[in-house]
Amino acid sequence: MAKKLVIKVTAGADAPERCSQAFTVAAVAAASDVEVSLWLTGESSWFALPGRAAEFELPHAAPLPDLIESIQAVGRITLCTQCAARREITEKDVIEGVRIAGAQVFVSEAMTEGTQALVY
């Protein structure tokens, strides 16, 4: 069984079910003592900004701010460098605890022994 889970979420409000599934799986894994690294890319990049997750709505889904809090309690959230740059998001803009990093860090995390990677 994987000891670490790396999840890349590419969807945001444009594909709410896919987006919610990624955050939910990350939060459940974190609550199950799995080391979690959640990567925000594409339209999910906006959720790195304060208040943006609270604007997300999907019936019968856990609120994104609660899921983010659960993930950050024991895991890490990373915003893609290129995605941030395209949206003019800088490190001073993101919620506390979110880092900005690029593809080489993602690949390094995903290729670590005992790691399972998922893309939503």
Side-chain angles (χ1 to χ4, degrees):
M1 185 160 125
K3 296 178 184 176
K4 182 174 181 179
L5 184 60
V6 178
I7 299 173
K8 180 183 278 195
V9 55
T10 63
D14 60 325
E17 288 184 305
R18 190 163 26 115
C19 175
S20 180
Q21 288 170 1
F23 280 91
T24 300
V25 167
V28 168
S32 301
D33 294 325
V34 174
E35 185 181 344
V36 175
S37 178
L38 179 71
W39 283 72
L40 305 176
T41 67
E43 285 303 300
S44 72
S45 300
W46 296 114
F47 299 127
L49 297 174
R52 287 294 186 98
E55 297 171 3
F56 180 86
E57 293 184 15
L58 181 64
H60 310 290
L64 280 191
D66 294 348
L67 297 174
I68 289 171
E69 184 178 320
S70 297
I71 296 162
Q72 284 190 305
V74 295
R76 167 174 268 160
I77 297 178
T78 304
L79 172 59
C80 163
T81 301
Q82 289 183 11
C83 299
R86 279 190 280 278
R87 290 161 180 81
E88 298 181 359
I89 299 171
T90 67
E91 288 183 355
K92 69 177 192 248
D93 300 320
V94 299
I95 58 178
E96 187 175 339
V98 172
R99 70 174 175 171
I100 297 176
Q104 87 180 51
V105 177
F106 176 80
V107 170
S108 176
E109 284 187 10
M111 297 306 295
T112 302
E113 188 169 337
T115 299
Q116 173 69 49
L118 302 174
V119 177
Y120 285 87

